[in-house]
Amino acid sequence: MFNLDSFKTYSRAVAFGAVTISAIAFAGAANAAPVQIFPFFQPLPPMAAPQPFEPYQQYQPHQPTPYQAAPSEDQDAVELPARFRRQTVSYATREAPGTIIIDTPNTYLYYVLGNGQALRYGIGVGRDGFTWSGIQSVSRKAEWPAWTPPPEMIARQPYLPRHMAGGPGNPLGARAMYLGGTIYRIHGTNAPETIGKRVSSGCIRMTNQDVTDLYARVNVGTKVVVLPMTERRAELGSATR
């Protein structure tokens, strides 16, 4: 006779054994090679930290730095003694207003204003043996002039350059007023400490401030009177330009 309880017990045993065998087989396969359940999903690469936002800057075309041939004309480094600073003074003369008078012994330049007054500037003059006197006129004017030492000067000082472009290192300074057909000029200087001294080869030196001021007042043709210091003076040289 068929026993139902025995059949159920037997069925449960068979099923349990099958599950046990499957679990053992699955565990062995898993240890041998891991199975990816969803192989089509790839891990994402780590994200970089966000960079700070930089505002958009409009493109600017290149602007070349302007060339500065020389410093401003009001930058004389030396503080002059009070008597050599530009000032209006009483000055009796028969010369017409607008005339330049070089007072060589006292190292002054006077620009005659008229009515017994003149504008006085401190100057540097020729050293011993290189002073001169006479009447000339302004034949040419130049801003930041180039310098070509005349042959007479090169013969005495062979180390001098044969030519020097205008600029802050040029001994003629910011302005020059050429005197007639001579080798002499009224000019600025890159050595303002020489104002009031006798150091030049015959030219009249002024600070860059003062020569710029005088330059603006003077026209080509202005009369220039150079007073003597001693009878021993250099002869007027021939023009080199």
Side-chain angles (χ1 to χ4, degrees):
M1 183 175 183
F2 178 75
N3 189 336
L4 180 60
D5 292 335
S6 299
F7 178 77
K8 291 179 178 180
T9 300
Y10 174 77
S11 298
R12 285 195 294 271
V14 170
F16 178 77
V19 170
T20 302
I21 294 171
S22 298
I24 293 172
F26 180 80
N31 291 333
V35 177
Q36 296 182 359
I37 300 176
F38 302 103
F40 46 83
F41 288 125
Q42 298 296 328
L44 295 176
M47 296 183 63
Q51 299 297 318
F53 174 75
E54 295 184 0
Y56 172 75
Q57 296 182 354
Q58 185 176 3
Y59 170 75
Q60 297 292 335
H62 173 68
Q63 297 293 336
T65 302
Y67 171 68
Q68 296 181 350
S72 63
E73 295 146 6
D74 60 351
Q75 293 182 344
D76 289 312
V78 175
E79 185 72 17
L80 294 178
R83 71 187 187 94
F84 291 135
R85 297 173 194 166
R86 182 170 71 246
Q87 55 195 290
T88 301
V89 298
S90 297
Y91 190 71
T93 180
R94 295 180 180 179
E95 298 294 343
T99 302
I100 294 174
I101 300 175
I102 307 295
D103 184 349
T104 308
N106 296 304
T107 61
Y108 292 137
L109 181 151
Y110 293 93
Y111 179 78
V112 178
L113 299 174
N115 298 320
Q117 291 190 318
L119 195 59
R120 190 179 76 187
Y121 306 82
I123 58 174
V125 298
R127 61 186 180 271
D128 186 31
F130 289 89
T131 59
W132 57 280
S133 63
I135 297 175
Q136 292 293 327
S137 62
V138 174
S139 56
R140 185 163 72 91
K141 299 169 62 179
E143 299 184 9
W144 295 106
W147 180 45
T148 303
E152 303 95 315
M153 185 177 290
I154 290 177
R156 294 189 303 267
Q157 300 167 285
Y159 54 84
L160 291 177
R162 277 22 180 194
H163 181 79
M164 181 181 291
N170 193 300
L172 298 187
R175 303 288 187 270
M177 288 156 277
Y178 297 78
L179 301 180
T182 74
I183 61 174
Y184 302 121
R185 296 152 293 230
I186 300 170
H187 63 77
T189 181
N190 59 359
E193 67 277 4
T194 61
I195 299 303
K197 299 179 181 178
R198 300 175 177 88
V199 295
S200 79
S201 295
C203 287
I204 308 303
R205 299 183 181 185
M206 306 177 74
T207 66
N208 284 336
Q209 281 184 328
D210 285 351
V211 78
T212 300
D213 181 87
L214 181 65
Y215 185 95
R217 301 174 187 272
V218 168
N219 297 316
V220 171
T222 293
K223 182 179 180 181
V224 180
V225 179
V226 182
L227 303 178
M229 185 167 64
T230 65
E231 291 302 316
R232 181 188 178 192
R233 57 184 183 272
E235 295 297 327
L236 296 181
S238 58
T240 57
R241 293 186 178 89

